[in-house]
Amino acid sequence: MKISVEGFSFFHLLQQEMIDVFGYLESLKYRYRVDAAGLWNGYFVDRSEEICKLREVDYIRKIKLALAERSMTVPSLAIDGAHIWDPNPEKRELLYQNALAHLDVAEYLGAQTVRIDTGGFGSTDMTEEQFDYTTKRFQELAQRAYDGGYRIGPENHSGPSRMPKWMVKLAQAVDHPGYGFLLHMGRWDSDVDAGDSLIAPWVHHVHLDPKFVHPHQIEERMQLLFNHGYDGYWGIEYYAQAAPYAEIESYVSAVKAAYLKQIGVIIR
């Protein structure tokens, strides 16, 4: 099944130093019976740095080995601290260099898609300068992704990326086969009912979250993207806090059941 569990789901445990990237992979493989990890760079960066500097190369090698030992794929790598736009030109350049360093990691780990945010977090609008810069950077990064056999693009995470009108306009402007969109279903600040459908032609990975898609809604929301020809992974990003392992397990089961129904398997 094309189902993954996203690394941010365990952020609460990570904060408490009760899990690391290796425990995360072990849980996916042997607790949730999932063979795909939606990696998040929060597991292998120094978060004391403003733009999340990568840890030592040897640590990244260990992650690759851990994936190989478990025969796991990486349908998505979500990168924080490497977004496209910042009003400070010097900060923009630092973010850009950090993005390039993270793409080296994404390619090394075999990520099928990469999420880098648009930036501009203080507003839901984009200036002309911001939009033009963001478009050109994504065109450049999309070409690198295309050459490497993966796709790259933003998520409706914060700021203008949570406005469907901007994300559709950006996708049309970038206009590149290496570009895609990580859709966190239902997480929009406008056009909430239509946002998922509007961006559907560019979706290359999905986040399902019970905050926006309740278990009884999963099958219907899957059908929406299947109708647009979506054939990617369904990533469960559930920031569970009360009982993380059990809460995530319940939602994984609901997603698996909905997925099997959608692809025509009779559950007996």
Side-chain angles (χ1 to χ4, degrees):
M1 291 185 285
K2 288 190 172 182
I3 292 172
S4 61
V5 179
E6 312 304 282
F8 188 76
S9 299
F10 299 90
F11 181 53
H12 187 62
L13 293 175
L14 186 64
Q15 284 182 309
Q16 299 180 74
E17 299 182 339
M18 294 175 67
I19 198 171
D20 60 13
V21 66
F22 307 108
Y24 156 66
L25 295 176
E26 191 79 355
S27 296
L28 266 56
K29 183 71 176 184
Y30 298 110
R31 178 164 189 153
Y32 304 121
R33 306 295 178 183
V34 169
D35 294 325
L39 285 176
W40 170 52
N41 74 329
Y43 286 99
F44 51 85
V45 295
D46 180 359
R47 296 189 66 84
S48 66
E49 296 280 347
E50 185 180 6
I51 59 170
C52 301
K53 287 290 187 181
L54 287 162
R55 290 181 63 177
E56 63 275 7
V57 172
D58 187 56
Y59 194 78
I60 307 300
R61 291 197 185 106
K62 290 175 182 177
I63 296 173
K64 186 176 180 70
L65 177 60
L67 289 164
E69 286 177 334
R70 295 164 180 80
S71 299
M72 299 186 74
T73 59
V74 182
S76 175
L77 172 60
I79 300 171
D80 286 344
H83 46 275
I84 303 295
W85 176 257
D86 188 275
N88 183 324
E90 292 182 359
K91 176 74 173 294
R92 278 204 304 271
E93 180 60 25
L94 288 173
L95 291 165
Y96 172 61
Q97 294 302 323
N98 201 38
L100 296 180
H102 274 80
L103 290 190
D104 289 340
V105 173
E107 291 162 5
Y108 178 69
L109 296 178
Q112 298 172 10
T113 68
V114 173
R115 183 270 277 162
I116 289 181
D117 285 322
T118 58
F121 303 134
S123 172
T124 56
D125 282 323
M126 299 179 81
T127 65
E128 183 176 350
E129 178 191 10
Q130 178 182 348
F131 182 82
D132 288 346
Y133 179 87
T134 303
T135 298
K136 290 175 182 176
R137 272 289 184 238
F138 270 129
Q139 286 174 331
E140 173 197 341
L141 297 177
Q143 183 61 53
R144 172 170 172 169
Y146 182 75
D147 292 340
Y150 59 100
R151 298 175 72 189
I152 191 168
E155 175 187 359
N156 48 331
H157 204 189
S158 58
S161 67
R162 290 181 64 156
M163 304 292 286
K165 67 174 184 179
W166 281 118
M167 293 303 95
V168 170
K169 184 178 179 180
L170 180 63
Q172 291 171 337
V174 174
D175 189 26
H176 195 289
Y179 180 84
F181 192 82
L182 195 170
L183 173 61
H184 196 119
M185 295 198 86
R187 189 166 74 177
W188 300 104
D189 286 339
S190 70
D191 300 307
V192 176
D193 293 333
D196 292 351
S197 294
L198 290 171
I199 201 65
W202 296 277
V203 173
H204 62 196
H205 189 62
V206 171
H207 282 174
L208 289 169
D209 176 351
K211 182 178 179 180
F212 301 100
V213 181
H214 297 294
H216 69 275
Q217 299 173 312
I218 297 170
E219 190 175 347
E220 175 189 349
R221 304 304 283 277
M222 282 185 168
Q223 185 62 57
L224 184 154
L225 287 188
F226 279 134
N227 288 344
H228 282 86
Y230 180 68
D231 191 36
Y233 277 78
W234 302 87
I236 295 153
E237 186 173 83
Y238 181 2
Y239 178 31
Q241 299 180 58
Y245 286 108
E247 291 178 75
I248 292 168
E249 189 164 22
S250 176
Y251 200 62
V252 168
S253 296
V255 172
K256 285 183 176 179
Y259 181 87
L260 288 170
K261 288 180 182 179
Q262 281 296 323
I263 63 174
V265 176
I266 298 174
I267 302 175
R268 299 185 184 276

